[in-house]
Amino acid sequence: MQVCGKLYVVATPIGNLKDISFRGLDILKSVHSIAAEDTRHSGSLLKHYSITTPMVSLHSHNEAARTEKIIQWLHQGHDIALISDAGTPLISDPGCYLTQAAHKENIPVVPIPGASALTTALCASGLPVKGFIFEGFLPAKAKARRDQLMALAREPRTLVFYEAPHRIVPMVEDMLAIFGAERVAVIARELTKRFETIKRAPLDELQAWLVADANQQRGEFVVMIEGYQGPTSSGKSYDATEVLTILLKQLPVKQAAQLTADITGEKKNALYKLALSISDKNAQ
Ligand code: SAM
Protein backbone atom coordinates (compact mmCIF):
# COMPACT_ATOMS: atom_id res chain seq x y z
CA MET A 1 0.00 0.00 0.00
CA GLN A 2 1.25 3.48 -0.93
CA VAL A 3 2.23 5.51 2.19
CA CYS A 4 0.79 9.01 1.94
CA GLY A 5 2.88 12.14 2.37
CA LYS A 6 2.65 14.77 5.10
CA LEU A 7 1.15 18.23 4.92
CA TYR A 8 3.51 20.63 6.72
CA VAL A 9 2.02 23.96 7.86
CA VAL A 10 5.11 26.16 8.03
CA ALA A 11 5.34 29.56 9.74
CA THR A 12 7.43 32.13 7.86
CA PRO A 13 8.72 35.56 9.00
CA ILE A 14 6.45 38.61 9.50
CA GLY A 15 9.19 41.00 8.38
CA ASN A 16 12.69 40.08 9.50
CA LEU A 17 13.78 37.18 7.28
CA LYS A 18 15.85 35.67 10.10
CA ASP A 19 12.65 34.82 11.97
CA ILE A 20 12.25 31.34 10.49
CA SER A 21 13.27 28.12 12.20
CA PHE A 22 16.01 25.73 11.04
CA ARG A 23 13.32 23.08 10.87
CA GLY A 24 11.09 25.30 8.73
CA LEU A 25 13.94 25.85 6.25
CA ASP A 26 14.74 22.12 6.14
CA ILE A 27 11.10 21.31 5.39
CA LEU A 28 10.82 23.97 2.66
CA LYS A 29 13.97 22.57 1.02
CA SER A 30 12.88 18.94 1.14
CA VAL A 31 9.17 18.87 0.22
CA HIS A 32 7.81 18.07 -3.25
CA SER A 33 6.01 21.45 -3.54
CA ILE A 34 5.23 24.53 -1.52
CA ALA A 35 1.65 25.84 -1.59
CA ALA A 36 2.04 29.59 -1.15
CA GLU A 37 -0.56 32.34 -0.88
CA ASP A 38 1.36 34.57 -3.31
CA THR A 39 4.18 32.79 -5.11
CA ARG A 40 5.87 36.05 -6.12
CA HIS A 41 5.89 37.33 -2.55
CA SER A 42 7.21 34.05 -1.11
CA GLY A 43 9.75 33.89 -3.96
CA SER A 44 11.90 36.48 -2.14
CA LEU A 45 12.01 34.36 1.03
CA LEU A 46 12.92 31.23 -0.92
CA LYS A 47 15.54 33.11 -2.94
CA HIS A 48 17.07 34.53 0.24
CA TYR A 49 17.58 30.99 1.55
CA SER A 50 18.50 29.49 -1.88
CA ILE A 51 15.46 27.21 -1.82
CA THR A 52 14.48 25.95 -5.26
CA THR A 53 11.42 23.83 -4.37
CA PRO A 54 8.57 24.42 -6.86
CA MET A 55 5.69 26.57 -5.64
CA VAL A 56 1.97 26.47 -6.44
CA SER A 57 -0.42 29.23 -5.48
CA LEU A 58 -3.08 28.61 -2.87
CA HIS A 59 -5.19 31.63 -1.98
CA SER A 60 -8.74 32.34 -0.88
CA HIS A 61 -10.02 32.29 -4.50
CA ASN A 62 -8.55 28.95 -5.60
CA GLU A 63 -8.26 27.02 -2.32
CA ALA A 64 -10.96 24.46 -3.13
CA ALA A 65 -9.66 23.62 -6.62
CA ARG A 66 -6.01 23.62 -5.52
CA THR A 67 -6.78 21.42 -2.52
CA GLU A 68 -7.90 18.62 -4.84
CA LYS A 69 -4.52 18.60 -6.61
CA ILE A 70 -2.55 18.82 -3.35
CA ILE A 71 -4.52 15.96 -1.76
CA GLN A 72 -3.72 13.86 -4.87
CA TRP A 73 0.02 14.56 -4.45
CA LEU A 74 -0.19 13.70 -0.75
CA HIS A 75 -1.92 10.40 -1.59
CA GLN A 76 0.88 9.67 -4.06
CA GLY A 77 3.34 9.88 -1.14
CA HIS A 78 4.65 13.44 -1.70
CA ASP A 79 5.22 15.82 1.22
CA ILE A 80 3.77 19.31 0.75
CA ALA A 81 4.40 22.54 2.70
CA LEU A 82 1.77 25.22 3.15
CA ILE A 83 2.98 28.79 3.75
CA SER A 84 1.28 32.20 3.68
CA ASP A 85 2.59 35.67 2.82
CA ALA A 86 3.67 36.26 6.39
CA GLY A 87 3.59 34.50 9.74
CA THR A 88 1.55 31.44 10.52
CA PRO A 89 -0.81 30.10 7.83
CA LEU A 90 -4.53 30.08 8.72
CA ILE A 91 -4.16 32.99 11.20
CA SER A 92 -6.35 35.41 9.17
CA ASP A 93 -4.96 33.55 6.15
CA PRO A 94 -5.99 30.72 3.80
CA GLY A 95 -5.37 27.07 4.56
CA CYS A 96 -8.40 25.98 6.59
CA TYR A 97 -10.01 24.18 3.66
CA LEU A 98 -6.80 22.32 2.81
CA THR A 99 -6.02 21.24 6.38
CA GLN A 100 -9.64 20.09 6.86
CA ALA A 101 -9.46 18.07 3.65
CA ALA A 102 -6.17 16.49 4.80
CA HIS A 103 -7.71 15.46 8.14
CA LYS A 104 -10.71 13.96 6.34
CA GLU A 105 -8.32 11.84 4.26
CA ASN A 106 -6.28 10.79 7.33
CA ILE A 107 -3.23 12.60 5.96
CA PRO A 108 -0.88 13.78 8.74
CA VAL A 109 -0.90 17.58 9.23
CA VAL A 110 2.39 18.68 10.81
CA PRO A 111 2.70 22.22 12.20
CA ILE A 112 6.11 23.92 12.04
CA PRO A 113 5.83 26.76 14.56
CA GLY A 114 7.27 30.24 14.19
CA ALA A 115 6.31 33.89 13.89
CA SER A 116 2.83 35.31 13.97
CA ALA A 117 1.95 39.00 14.31
CA LEU A 118 -0.63 37.92 16.92
CA THR A 119 1.77 36.36 19.43
CA THR A 120 4.62 38.77 18.61
CA ALA A 121 2.40 41.76 19.43
CA LEU A 122 0.78 40.22 22.51
CA CYS A 123 4.06 39.28 24.18
CA ALA A 124 5.28 42.89 24.02
CA SER A 125 1.97 44.56 24.90
CA GLY A 126 2.12 44.51 28.67
CA LEU A 127 -1.52 43.39 28.63
CA PRO A 128 -2.76 40.24 30.37
CA VAL A 129 -2.48 37.24 28.04
CA LYS A 130 -3.80 34.52 30.33
CA GLY A 131 -6.83 34.54 28.07
CA PHE A 132 -7.48 36.73 25.06
CA ILE A 133 -9.87 37.14 22.14
CA PHE A 134 -8.43 37.31 18.65
CA GLU A 135 -10.88 39.07 16.32
CA GLY A 136 -8.67 39.28 13.22
CA PHE A 137 -9.80 42.07 10.89
CA LEU A 138 -12.92 44.04 11.81
CA PRO A 139 -15.48 44.57 9.02
CA ALA A 140 -14.47 47.28 6.52
CA LYS A 141 -17.86 49.06 6.68
CA ALA A 142 -18.14 51.57 9.53
CA LYS A 143 -21.50 50.43 10.82
CA ALA A 144 -20.61 46.74 10.92
CA ARG A 145 -17.29 47.60 12.57
CA ARG A 146 -19.01 49.63 15.30
CA ASP A 147 -21.61 46.92 15.86
CA GLN A 148 -18.86 44.37 16.39
CA LEU A 149 -16.96 46.66 18.76
CA MET A 150 -20.15 47.34 20.72
CA ALA A 151 -20.69 43.62 21.13
CA LEU A 152 -17.18 43.42 22.65
CA ALA A 153 -17.48 46.42 24.99
CA ARG A 154 -17.93 44.26 28.13
CA GLU A 155 -15.51 41.48 27.19
CA PRO A 156 -13.13 41.11 30.17
CA ARG A 157 -10.29 39.44 28.24
CA THR A 158 -7.64 41.28 26.21
CA LEU A 159 -8.88 41.92 22.66
CA VAL A 160 -6.60 41.62 19.63
CA PHE A 161 -7.28 42.94 16.11
CA TYR A 162 -5.40 43.13 12.83
CA GLU A 163 -5.82 46.32 10.80
CA ALA A 164 -4.82 47.81 7.46
CA PRO A 165 -3.19 51.27 7.27
CA HIS A 166 -6.12 53.00 5.54
CA ARG A 167 -8.51 51.98 8.33
CA ILE A 168 -6.31 52.42 11.40
CA VAL A 169 -7.52 55.96 12.25
CA PRO A 170 -11.28 55.31 11.97
CA MET A 171 -10.82 52.05 13.85
CA VAL A 172 -9.08 53.70 16.80
CA GLU A 173 -11.65 56.53 16.77
CA ASP A 174 -14.48 54.02 17.01
CA MET A 175 -12.68 52.21 19.81
CA LEU A 176 -12.32 55.48 21.70
CA ALA A 177 -16.05 56.17 21.36
CA ILE A 178 -17.13 52.67 22.31
CA PHE A 179 -14.60 51.58 24.95
CA GLY A 180 -14.05 55.02 26.49
CA ALA A 181 -11.04 57.33 26.88
CA GLU A 182 -9.42 55.51 29.79
CA ARG A 183 -9.25 51.98 28.38
CA VAL A 184 -5.58 51.11 27.78
CA ALA A 185 -4.71 50.03 24.24
CA VAL A 186 -1.54 49.09 22.40
CA ILE A 187 -0.68 49.65 18.76
CA ALA A 188 2.06 47.32 17.46
CA ARG A 189 3.22 48.54 14.06
CA GLU A 190 5.70 47.06 11.58
CA LEU A 191 6.80 44.33 13.99
CA THR A 192 10.32 42.97 13.41
CA LYS A 193 10.89 45.61 10.71
CA ARG A 194 12.88 48.85 10.53
CA PHE A 195 10.09 51.10 11.81
CA GLU A 196 8.80 48.78 14.51
CA THR A 197 6.77 50.81 17.01
CA ILE A 198 4.92 49.60 20.08
CA LYS A 199 2.82 52.35 21.63
CA ARG A 200 0.78 51.75 24.75
CA ALA A 201 -1.54 54.43 26.19
CA PRO A 202 -5.15 55.11 27.22
CA LEU A 203 -7.34 55.31 24.11
CA ASP A 204 -7.72 59.12 24.11
CA GLU A 205 -3.93 59.62 24.19
CA LEU A 206 -3.35 56.86 21.67
CA GLN A 207 -5.87 58.35 19.22
CA ALA A 208 -4.31 61.83 19.53
CA TRP A 209 -0.80 60.41 19.01
CA LEU A 210 -1.90 58.46 15.94
CA VAL A 211 -3.74 61.36 14.30
CA ALA A 212 -0.85 63.77 14.95
CA ASP A 213 1.73 61.77 12.99
CA ALA A 214 0.99 60.45 9.50
CA ASN A 215 4.09 58.21 9.71
CA GLN A 216 2.45 56.26 12.51
CA GLN A 217 -0.44 55.45 10.17
CA ARG A 218 1.75 53.54 7.69
CA GLY A 219 2.53 49.85 7.55
CA GLU A 220 1.00 46.82 9.23
CA PHE A 221 -0.81 46.91 12.55
CA VAL A 222 -1.91 44.81 15.45
CA VAL A 223 -4.20 46.68 17.87
CA MET A 224 -4.77 45.33 21.36
CA ILE A 225 -7.17 46.60 24.02
CA GLU A 226 -7.35 45.69 27.67
CA GLY A 227 -10.55 43.88 28.58
CA TYR A 228 -13.43 45.54 30.40
CA GLN A 229 -12.54 45.92 34.08
CA GLY A 230 -15.76 47.48 35.40
CA PRO A 231 -16.42 51.18 36.03
CA THR A 232 -13.42 53.46 35.37
CA SER A 233 -11.04 54.62 38.13
CA SER A 234 -11.91 58.29 37.57
CA GLY A 235 -15.20 57.63 39.28
CA LYS A 236 -17.15 57.80 36.02
CA SER A 237 -19.36 54.79 36.31
CA TYR A 238 -21.19 55.33 33.04
CA ASP A 239 -20.60 53.32 29.95
CA ALA A 240 -21.00 55.53 26.85
CA THR A 241 -22.66 52.84 24.75
CA GLU A 242 -25.18 52.03 27.47
CA VAL A 243 -26.01 55.69 28.17
CA LEU A 244 -26.44 56.41 24.46
CA THR A 245 -28.63 53.36 23.94
CA ILE A 246 -30.95 54.46 26.76
CA LEU A 247 -31.10 58.11 25.66
CA LEU A 248 -31.75 57.19 22.03
CA LYS A 249 -35.02 55.60 23.10
CA GLN A 250 -36.34 59.08 23.94
CA LEU A 251 -34.15 61.63 22.15
CA PRO A 252 -32.95 62.49 18.64
CA VAL A 253 -29.39 61.41 17.74
CA LYS A 254 -27.75 64.83 18.15
CA GLN A 255 -29.20 65.49 21.56
CA ALA A 256 -28.50 61.97 22.81
CA ALA A 257 -24.85 62.31 21.70
CA GLN A 258 -24.48 65.70 23.42
CA LEU A 259 -25.97 64.47 26.68
CA THR A 260 -23.87 61.32 26.63
CA ALA A 261 -20.77 63.48 26.12
CA ASP A 262 -21.78 65.58 29.15
CA ILE A 263 -22.43 62.53 31.30
CA THR A 264 -19.44 60.37 30.34
CA GLY A 265 -16.85 62.95 29.30
CA GLU A 266 -16.32 61.16 25.94
CA LYS A 267 -15.95 63.15 22.69
CA LYS A 268 -19.19 64.37 21.13
CA ASN A 269 -18.23 63.69 17.50
CA ALA A 270 -17.33 60.10 18.16
CA LEU A 271 -20.53 59.63 20.17
CA TYR A 272 -22.56 61.13 17.33
CA LYS A 273 -21.20 58.51 14.91
CA LEU A 274 -21.86 55.80 17.46
CA ALA A 275 -25.41 57.10 18.02
CA LEU A 276 -26.10 56.91 14.28
CA SER A 277 -24.90 53.36 14.27
CA ILE A 278 -27.05 52.37 17.27
CA SER A 279 -30.18 54.04 15.90
CA ASP A 280 -29.68 52.37 12.49
CA LYS A 281 -29.39 49.03 14.27
CA ASN A 282 -32.52 49.70 16.33
CA ALA A 283 -34.42 50.65 13.16
CA GLN A 284 -33.69 47.24 11.54
N1 SAM B 1 -0.75 34.94 9.15
C1 SAM B 1 -0.25 36.19 9.64
C2 SAM B 1 0.20 36.05 11.10
O1 SAM B 1 0.48 34.93 11.52
O2 SAM B 1 0.32 37.05 11.77
C3 SAM B 1 -1.23 37.31 9.48
C4 SAM B 1 -1.79 37.47 8.11
S1 SAM B 1 -2.96 38.76 7.97
C5 SAM B 1 -3.50 38.54 6.31
C6 SAM B 1 -1.95 40.19 7.76
C7 SAM B 1 -2.12 41.14 8.92
O3 SAM B 1 -1.33 40.72 10.02
C8 SAM B 1 -1.64 42.54 8.61
O4 SAM B 1 -2.64 43.31 7.95
C9 SAM B 1 -1.39 43.09 10.00
O5 SAM B 1 -2.59 43.44 10.63
C10 SAM B 1 -0.81 41.83 10.69
N2 SAM B 1 0.65 41.82 10.50
C11 SAM B 1 1.37 41.04 9.69
N3 SAM B 1 2.69 41.34 9.80
C12 SAM B 1 2.78 42.33 10.70
C13 SAM B 1 3.87 43.08 11.23
N4 SAM B 1 5.12 42.86 10.85
N5 SAM B 1 3.59 44.05 12.14
C14 SAM B 1 2.33 44.28 12.55
N6 SAM B 1 1.27 43.60 12.07
C15 SAM B 1 1.49 42.65 11.17
Side-chain angles (χ1 to χ4, degrees):
M1 199 183 85
Q2 173 94 49
V3 178
C4 68
K6 292 188 175 111
L7 174 63
Y8 291 97
V9 182
V10 182
T12 59
I14 57 167
N16 189 321
L17 291 185
K18 288 185 178 162
D19 292 331
I20 183 161
S21 70
F22 292 127
R23 190 169 166 229
L25 290 175
D26 282 349
I27 298 286
L28 294 181
K29 278 180 193 154
S30 64
V31 290
H32 167 275
S33 300
I34 299 171
E37 194 182 358
D38 177 343
T39 52
R40 259 202 302 180
H41 180 97
S42 296
S44 340
L45 174 73
L46 300 196
K47 191 161 169 231
H48 182 84
Y49 285 106
S50 311
I51 296 170
T52 53
T53 310
M55 279 191 284
V56 290
S57 72
L58 182 137
H59 44 71
S60 47
H61 303 294
N62 73 354
E63 191 169 354
R66 203 35 70 82
T67 290
E68 222 175 285
K69 184 76 214 158
I70 292 172
I71 295 288
Q72 251 177 29
W73 283 335
L74 288 159
H75 276 310
Q76 286 163 4
H78 299 303
D79 290 335
I80 304 291
L82 168 69
I83 61 175
S84 61
D85 283 355
T88 302
L90 279 88
I91 310 288
S92 286
D93 266 338
C96 183
Y97 190 91
L98 174 62
T99 50
Q100 264 178 13
H103 279 290
K104 266 191 212 146
E105 301 280 328
N106 286 321
I107 291 165
V109 179
V110 184
I112 308 296
S116 174
L118 168 66
T119 47
T120 308
L122 270 174
C123 73
S125 67
L127 294 170
V129 192
K130 205 170 156 213
F132 64 89
I133 304 273
F134 175 55
E135 285 286 312
F137 291 94
L138 284 166
K141 294 235 163 77
K143 187 184 160 338
R145 181 176 63 232
R146 286 178 201 138
D147 287 349
Q148 195 159 328
L149 289 174
M150 279 190 270
L152 293 165
R154 291 291 176 115
E155 168 56 54
R157 287 166 290 185
T158 296
L159 298 163
V160 190
F161 304 88
Y162 283 167
E163 196 48 281
H166 59 285
R167 282 200 290 266
I168 187 73
V169 170
M171 176 214 213
V172 171
E173 283 175 348
D174 286 346
M175 286 176 164
L176 171 60
I178 291 164
F179 298 132
E182 292 180 30
R183 192 85 76 96
V184 171
V186 183
I187 292 182
R189 180 176 83 94
E190 292 290 89
L191 291 164
T192 77
K193 301 189 218 176
R194 185 168 169 215
F195 294 110
E196 178 179 274
T197 311
I198 298 172
K199 175 77 178 172
R200 182 187 147 106
L203 269 168
D204 56 349
E205 262 179 55
L206 198 69
Q207 184 261 354
W209 169 83
L210 184 66
V211 170
D213 185 353
N215 284 328
Q216 297 300 345
Q217 300 163 26
R218 291 176 220 259
E220 299 195 276
F221 297 88
V222 181
V223 179
M224 295 154 285
I225 313 268
E226 72 173 343
Y228 177 73
Q229 308 297 313
T232 60
S233 56
S234 67
K236 281 185 234 152
S237 55
Y238 300 111
D239 176 281
T241 309
E242 270 179 23
V243 174
L244 254 183
T245 309
I246 294 167
L247 293 179
L248 280 168
K249 288 183 183 150
Q250 303 290 337
L251 298 172
V253 166
K254 208 169 158 192
Q255 224 176 326
Q258 177 63 64
L259 273 175
T260 307
D262 295 343
I263 294 166
T264 63
E266 306 298 345
K267 292 209 171 91
K268 196 177 102 188
N269 283 353
L271 289 169
Y272 182 73
K273 284 188 206 160
L274 181 59
L276 286 176
S277 197
I278 296 173
S279 52
D280 276 0
K281 200 174 171 190
N282 291 344
Q284 279 166 11

